[in-house]
Amino acid sequence: MRNSSENFTYSGLAARGIFGFGTIGQLEDEVAALGVTKVLVLSTPDQHDQAEALSVQLGALSGGLYSKAAMHTPVEVTQDALHVYSSAGADGVVAIGGGSTIGLGKAIALRTACPQLVVPTTYAGSEMTSILGQTEHGEKTTLKTLDVLPETVIYDVDFTLSLPPLMSVTSGINAIAHAVEAMYAENANSVLSLMAAEGIGALTKALPLIIANPHDRQARYDALYGAWLCAICLGSGGVALHHKLCHVLGGSFDLPHAQTHTIILPHALAYNAPAIGEALARINAAMATQDAAGALYDIAKNAGATMALKDLGMPEAGIEKAAQIALKNPYYNPRPLEETSIRTLIEAAWHGSRPTC
Ligand code: NAD
C-alpha cells in the first residue's frame, strides 16, 4: 500500500544481510570476502562461549576474543579492546551479540576503519544503522557516520533461541518502535512503510508465540525477520517523540534500554494517534487490531514485562524533569509537543496505566 500521491526520497544503507537457520556456516567465506586476514571476535562476558565457538570455527582467520563488551559502549572498554585488537594483528572484527557488542565493533571500526561482520542475537537493530552511542565520564554522546555501518550481517535464527522469553518481548518491542516511528517520521515514505508494516506484523505475531514456547522455531524465525526489517527502518528512516523520550529517560535516570522502550511505545503512539491517520491505519492493519497502543501494551504485560517507569527505579520527581528535558531540543514529531500533555504521558508511563489510541 502506497502513501497517497507523495513525492519522496528513500536513502537505503548498503549492508549485506544473510538470513535463516544455520547461516553461521557461511562465516569463514563471508569474513574472507571482506578481504581481511585476521578478526577479533567480540562479545559480552555472558556470550563468551558463543564467541569462542566462532573463533574456533574461524581457525587461522581468528586473532582471538575480546569478551568484555558493555552497555552504552564505554570509551575505556573500547580502548582496552583496541589494545587487544592491535596485539592480535587484527584487521577486522566479528561481533556476536546485541546492541552492546555491536556498539563495541562500531567503536573499533570508527577508530581503525576496519570492516565489521555482525551476528545479532537480540532484536535491537544496531547492526543496520550508522549510529554509535558512546559513554565517557558518565556522559553519553551519539554520532552518525557511515564509517560505523557494519559491512556484513549474518542473521542466524539459531542464536536467538537462547534469548530469554521476556527479553525477547522487550527487545522485540524495541524493534517495533523503530518501525512505528519510521511510519510517521519527517522522512516517512512508501518504501520504508512497506518494510515497517511487514516488520511490525511479523514481530507482533511472533512474540506471544515465543512466550508460549521459547523454542518455537517458526516464531523465532519470524521475530528475527521482523527485527531485521525494523532495523532497516531505524537505519534509513527517522524517529520522533518515542525515541526522544527513551533517550531522555535512559540518559537521565539510567533506565534499561529495551524495557524503557517497551513502557513508552504504547503511550507515545497514543499521544501521536490523532495526528497520524494513515500511518495509524497501517500500524493497526499490520497488527490486526483497532487499537495498536492498547494491543502493544497487552503483548508486553501478558509476557510479564514491567509496565511502569517507577518499577524500573525512576523517582516520581523525575516526571517533571523528564518533561522539561523532552521539551527542550525536541525531535520532529507529527503532533506538536504540548507541555501538559507530555507531562501527563510521562506520568501515565510512570504509573504503568494502559493507553489506547
Ligand atoms: P545488550 O546487547 O546489552 O544485551 C543484553 C544482555 O543479553 C547481554 O548480557 C547479552 O550478552 C545478552 N544476550 C544477547 N543476546 C542473547 C541471546 N541470544 N541469548 C542469551 N543472552 C543474550 O542488549 P540490546 O538491547 O541488544 O542492546 C542495547 C544497547 O544497544 C544499548 O546500549 C543501546 O543504546 C544500543 N543500541 C544502539 C543502536 C544503534 O543504532 N546504535 C540501536 C539499538 C540499540
Side-chain angles (χ1 to χ4, degrees):
M1 182 173 69
R2 281 178 300 111
N3 290 341
S4 42
S5 52
E6 58 170 0
N7 289 357
F8 66 88
T9 302
Y10 167 71
S11 283
L13 296 180
R16 178 172 166 83
I18 296 145
F19 188 91
F21 290 103
T23 46
I24 200 64
Q26 297 173 52
L27 179 66
E28 300 94 298
D29 288 349
E30 290 297 331
V31 166
L34 288 173
V36 300
T37 55
K38 234 176 225 339
V39 292
L40 184 66
V41 182
L42 309 173
S43 75
T44 60
D46 286 347
Q47 290 179 281
H48 173 272
D49 291 355
Q50 287 176 328
E52 191 162 49
L54 295 198
S55 178
V56 169
Q57 181 180 340
L58 284 164
L61 279 172
S62 172
L65 305 184
Y66 183 84
S67 296
K68 295 188 210 159
M71 193 84 148
H72 305 312
T73 329
V75 169
E76 315 84 76
V77 174
T78 302
Q79 278 158 355
D80 189 35
L82 277 169
H83 182 69
V84 178
Y85 178 88
S86 330
S87 309
D91 54 0
V93 292
V94 167
I96 176 158
S100 297
T101 306
I102 299 169
L104 175 60
K106 288 177 164 183
I108 294 174
L110 181 70
R111 290 158 176 89
T112 63
C114 73
Q116 308 166 65
L117 186 149
V118 172
V119 185
T121 62
T122 70
Y123 306 132
S126 177
E127 69 279 0
M128 285 286 143
T129 82
S130 56
I131 305 163
L132 170 63
Q134 307 182 93
T135 42
E136 190 166 21
H137 309 307
E139 210 167 290
K140 184 162 179 173
T141 51
T142 302
L143 54 85
K144 197 169 182 179
T145 163
L146 286 174
D147 297 344
V148 303
L149 181 70
E151 279 72 10
T152 304
V153 180
I154 297 185
Y155 287 101
D156 188 331
V157 184
D158 289 323
F159 284 114
T160 62
L161 291 167
S162 60
L163 191 63
L166 182 53
M167 212 194 280
S168 303
V169 168
T170 55
S171 189
I173 293 180
N174 181 190
I176 291 171
H178 308 327
V180 162
E181 294 233 289
M183 290 260 204
Y184 54 69
E186 201 165 15
N187 66 349
N189 62 72
S190 298
V191 175
L192 272 180
S193 294
L194 258 179
M195 289 193 258
E198 179 81 355
I200 293 168
L203 271 162
T204 49
K205 269 190 221 102
L207 296 178
L209 298 173
I210 290 171
I211 287 294
N213 173 14
H215 301 290
D216 182 332
R217 292 174 67 78
Q218 186 61 52
R220 289 289 190 180
Y221 180 101
D222 294 343
L224 190 60
Y225 165 69
W228 180 9
L229 295 172
C230 293
I232 296 172
C233 291
L234 181 65
S236 302
V239 293
L241 176 65
H242 165 80
H243 283 79
K244 174 72 185 182
L245 288 174
C246 291
H247 293 162
V248 167
L249 293 165
S252 308
F253 308 103
D254 199 24
L255 303 184
H257 181 82
Q259 292 95 314
T260 306
H261 274 267
T262 300
I263 293 174
I264 294 297
L265 183 61
H267 294 277
L269 182 54
Y271 180 91
N272 277 327
I276 55 163
E278 199 172 346
L280 184 61
R282 284 172 171 217
I283 296 165
N284 281 337
M287 294 182 63
T289 178
Q290 297 297 313
D291 173 16
L296 282 165
Y297 181 97
D298 293 343
I299 289 172
K301 190 169 168 96
N302 292 340
T306 304
M307 298 313 295
L309 293 173
K310 65 177 175 186
D311 295 334
L312 293 184
M314 178 177 157
E316 189 165 12
I319 297 171
E320 182 59 30
K321 182 179 168 192
Q324 291 312 320
I325 304 174
L327 291 162
K328 246 192 259 166
N329 309 318
Y331 298 172
Y332 162 84
N333 196 59
R335 177 178 161 193
L337 301 191
E338 296 143 15
E339 188 171 344
T340 314
S341 312
I342 291 296
R343 195 179 299 111
T344 305
L345 182 169
I346 299 171
E347 201 168 4
W350 189 83
H351 285 290
S353 57
R354 182 182 185 276
T356 57
C357 284

